[in-house]
Amino acid sequence: MAVRAVRGAVQLERDEAGHMDEQVAALLTAVLERNGLTCDDLISIWFTATPDLHSDFPAAAARGLGITDVPLICAQELDIEGAMPRVVRILAHIESDRPRAEIAHVYLGAAAALRKDIAQ
């Protein structure tokens, strides 16, 4: 079993806790499903949010999905002029037998424009 990293992102329509929870949960669910993972395969997850998001911690959505024994951390993205607003990104470390080239990185909705080279 190898340690792999999975990237993902979602752009929120608005900065509201319930909306963030819903969208981040959808992102995490898609990452798990597209990579054939369960919570037991997760090692840790880093969440980042753009500086315009203040309503909640993105990691709260993971706890709501039952991801309770995995280390989670939240950080703020750099405040770069012209960057896409209201974006939550993840970097999940996982255990997987999949080769690195077969890991499905998930960019939902408008966030797909962030990484056209790897967005599914």
Side-chain angles (χ1 to χ4, degrees):
M1 195 73 67
V3 173
R4 300 283 185 228
V6 183
R7 292 286 318 268
V10 64
Q11 184 183 39
L12 306 184
E13 294 176 16
R14 57 195 175 278
D15 184 22
E16 294 175 2
H19 179 62
M20 179 183 290
D21 186 60
E22 175 185 288
Q23 294 299 304
V24 174
L27 175 62
L28 291 170
T29 300
V31 165
L32 293 173
E33 289 176 357
R34 293 182 192 180
N35 288 287
L37 301 169
T38 68
C39 291
D40 288 338
D41 299 316
L42 296 170
I43 296 169
S44 64
I45 306 173
W46 282 77
F47 295 85
T48 65
T50 51
D52 52 1
L53 294 175
H54 308 278
S55 62
D56 202 0
F57 294 100
R63 298 292 182 223
L65 288 175
I67 301 172
T68 57
D69 62 348
V70 175
L72 308 174
I73 192 165
C74 297
Q76 187 176 80
E77 283 286 332
L78 295 172
D79 190 9
I80 304 298
E81 187 175 330
M84 184 179 285
R86 300 177 316 281
V87 175
V88 174
R89 292 173 173 85
I90 66 162
L91 174 63
H93 299 97
I94 62 169
E95 291 182 318
S96 176
D97 288 328
R98 288 181 183 220
R100 187 176 296 157
E102 292 181 16
I103 297 296
H105 304 281
V106 179
Y107 290 78
L108 299 179
L114 295 170
R115 288 298 304 267
K116 292 178 185 176
D117 57 325
I118 62 173
Q120 304 290 311

